[in-house]
């Protein structure tokens, strides 16, 4: 089939998680519920932090931004999947596909960088508690969030430019529920070797560097906690970073699971199912982790409930 420039391809086809029409109503109900829980749970975290003066600290400021990024990350892919399930359609426009690529990398990278910033915040709080109020001032916190956003924007635009240069054959069927870049590269008619190299380089920079920073921060944190003489002091120090550490493990654990699944499995549909954990489940669970494991959040929620009552 003669290659055609991507600009002239009117739409792509998202094959989704299953071709079985009997499963589509079940999938629609399941993902609609998960999406609503994700949005409402993260909005509740943002509302709680913004309305309670006890939570006006750097750690919860970063948590609010993480919740906002999680809402955006799910919204990039799940609503389109729900529309396609409800209308029994598989189509997504060229512009819509590139928009998904751009926003998924923007918000996924922002999640990654915010977790690094939160690790640095815990590092300063535990290893340098006397300097914490001066070091983690409002100006620095705002600067760290802005820097995370602009670096994520740079990453997303580089991926956008790479994808916009590809050429595709006339009919493009993506065996996924969103425009997954690795699947798009497999379907491209043009040479993708440069794109693959750039993806690995960008992944190492925007994924590997933050992970290395988080691991370094927790190495310093654990080393500092182990030097605390009392067991109650150790428990208190661990409790201040327990929620963040749980979210980090969930974020990178599911991300690694998707990568390993795509490497081992030869079925694109199985890769799509694995991606559900990373794209849908992780943003949904983050509010639960922080509300169940964090005493400050739980107390603030009870104060809000008692005021409403």
């Amino acid at each position: 089939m003669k290659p055609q420039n991507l600009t002239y391809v009117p739409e792509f086809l998202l094959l989704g998680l299953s071709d079985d029409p009997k499963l589509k109503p079940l999938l629609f109900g399941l993902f609609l519920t998960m999406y609503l829980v994700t949005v409402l749970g993260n909005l509740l975290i943002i509302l709680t932090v913004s309305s309670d003066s006890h939570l006006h600290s750097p750690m919860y400021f970063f948590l609010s931004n993480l919740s906002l990024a999680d809402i955006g990350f799910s919204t990039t892919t799940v609503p389109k999947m729900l529309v396609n399930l409800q209308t029994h359609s598989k189509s997504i426009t060229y512009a819509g596909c590139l928009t998904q690529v751009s926003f998924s990398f923007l918000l996924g990278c922002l999640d990654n960088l915010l977790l690094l910033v939160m690790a640095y915040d815990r590092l300063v709080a535990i290893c340098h508690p006397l300097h914490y109020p001066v070091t983690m001032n409002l100006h620095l916190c705002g600067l760290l969030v802005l820097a995370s956003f602009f670096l994520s924007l740079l990453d997303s635009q580089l991926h956008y430019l790479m994808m916009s240069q590809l050429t595709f054959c006339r009919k493009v069927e993506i065996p996924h529920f969103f425009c997954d870049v690795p699947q798009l590269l497999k379907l491209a008619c043009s040479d993708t070797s440069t794109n693959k190299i750039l993806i690995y380089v960008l992944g190492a920079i925007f994924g590997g560097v933050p992970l290395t920073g988080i691991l370094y921060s927790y190495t310093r944190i654990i080393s500092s906690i182990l030097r605390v003489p009392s067991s109650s002091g150790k428990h208190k120090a661990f409790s201040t970073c327990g929620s963040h550490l749980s979210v980090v493990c969930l974020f990178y654990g599911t991300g690694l699971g998707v990568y390993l699944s795509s490497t081992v499995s030869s079925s694109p549909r199985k890769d799509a199912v694995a991606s559900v954990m990373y794209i849908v489940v992780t943003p949904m669970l983050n509010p639960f982790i922080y509300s169940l494991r964090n005493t400050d959040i739980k107390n603030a929620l009870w104060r809000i409930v008692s005021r409403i009552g």
Side-chain angles (χ1 to χ4, degrees):
M1 189 178 290
K2 184 180 178 182
Q4 179 179 341
N5 191 289
L6 182 60
T7 307
Y8 299 106
V9 175
E11 64 182 20
F12 296 155
L13 297 178
L14 297 173
L15 301 185
L17 297 173
S18 173
D19 290 325
D20 189 348
K22 295 179 181 179
L23 279 179
K24 288 187 176 181
L26 178 63
L27 289 174
F28 178 82
L30 176 64
F31 283 100
L32 177 62
T33 302
M34 293 171 74
Y35 178 66
L36 290 176
V37 170
T38 300
V39 173
L40 293 175
N42 282 288
L43 280 177
L44 183 60
I45 292 289
I46 296 170
L47 174 65
T48 302
V49 171
S50 60
S51 63
D52 196 303
S53 59
H54 296 87
L55 301 181
H56 292 174
S57 65
M59 180 171 68
Y60 297 111
F61 170 69
F62 297 136
L63 175 59
S64 296
N65 283 277
L66 182 68
S67 294
L68 192 60
D70 281 340
I71 292 172
F73 192 46
S74 288
T75 302
T76 301
T77 56
V78 178
K80 178 58 181 173
M81 177 177 63
L82 292 174
V83 169
N84 285 3
L85 284 171
Q86 185 66 16
T87 60
H88 304 287
S89 169
K90 296 180 179 180
S91 66
I92 183 171
T93 63
Y94 158 72
C97 192
L98 286 189
T99 299
Q100 274 198 350
V101 169
S102 182
F103 275 94
S104 61
F105 276 101
L106 168 65
L107 295 161
C109 184
L110 184 57
D111 259 0
N112 200 11
L113 293 174
L114 285 174
L115 288 174
L116 171 61
V117 169
M118 294 171 78
Y120 174 70
D121 173 71
R122 292 299 84 205
L123 171 66
V124 177
I126 292 172
C127 299
H128 309 285
L130 297 178
H131 298 112
Y132 181 76
V134 177
T135 303
M136 298 304 295
N137 56 69
L138 183 61
H139 180 263
L140 179 63
C141 292
L143 193 63
L144 288 172
V145 171
L146 282 176
S148 299
F149 175 78
F150 282 114
L151 286 171
S152 302
L153 184 63
L154 173 63
D155 179 45
S156 72
Q157 290 309 299
L158 288 171
H159 280 95
Y160 174 87
L161 289 172
M162 283 192 299
M163 298 310 298
S164 65
Q165 300 304 311
L166 292 178
T167 54
F168 287 80
C169 297
R170 188 175 299 275
K171 188 177 182 181
V172 183
E173 293 184 342
I174 305 171
H176 220 300
F177 62 89
F178 72 102
C179 289
D180 184 42
V181 169
Q183 295 299 331
L184 286 171
L185 292 177
K186 291 177 184 177
L187 297 169
C189 294
S190 55
D191 179 48
T192 60
S193 55
T194 304
N195 298 72
K196 290 176 181 177
I197 292 170
L198 285 172
I199 284 175
Y200 284 124
V201 171
L202 291 173
I205 294 171
F206 292 101
V209 172
L211 177 58
T212 303
I214 291 170
L215 292 175
Y216 170 76
S217 297
Y218 272 101
T219 302
R220 291 277 310 276
I221 288 169
I222 292 170
S223 176
S224 179
I225 290 175
L226 291 176
R227 290 198 297 269
V228 175
S230 66
S231 58
S232 60
K234 289 179 181 178
H235 181 267
K236 184 178 180 182
F238 269 120
S239 65
T240 62
C241 54
S243 298
H244 175 258
L245 188 58
S246 300
V247 170
V248 167
C249 292
L250 181 64
F251 182 83
Y252 286 102
T254 53
L256 182 63
V258 171
Y259 174 75
L260 292 176
S261 173
S262 62
T263 305
V264 175
S265 173
S266 58
S267 170
R269 287 293 178 87
K270 290 181 180 178
D271 297 345
V273 173
S275 298
V276 170
M277 285 295 297
Y278 183 71
I279 294 171
V280 184
V281 177
T282 299
M284 180 185 71
L285 291 181
N286 285 352
F288 290 100
I289 292 172
Y290 270 98
S291 59
L292 294 176
R293 291 183 59 89
N294 191 292
T295 306
D296 292 336
I297 292 286
K298 283 193 286 189
N299 292 338
L301 286 170
W302 279 117
R303 283 193 289 270
I304 291 173
V305 170
S306 45
R307 280 204 302 267
I308 293 173

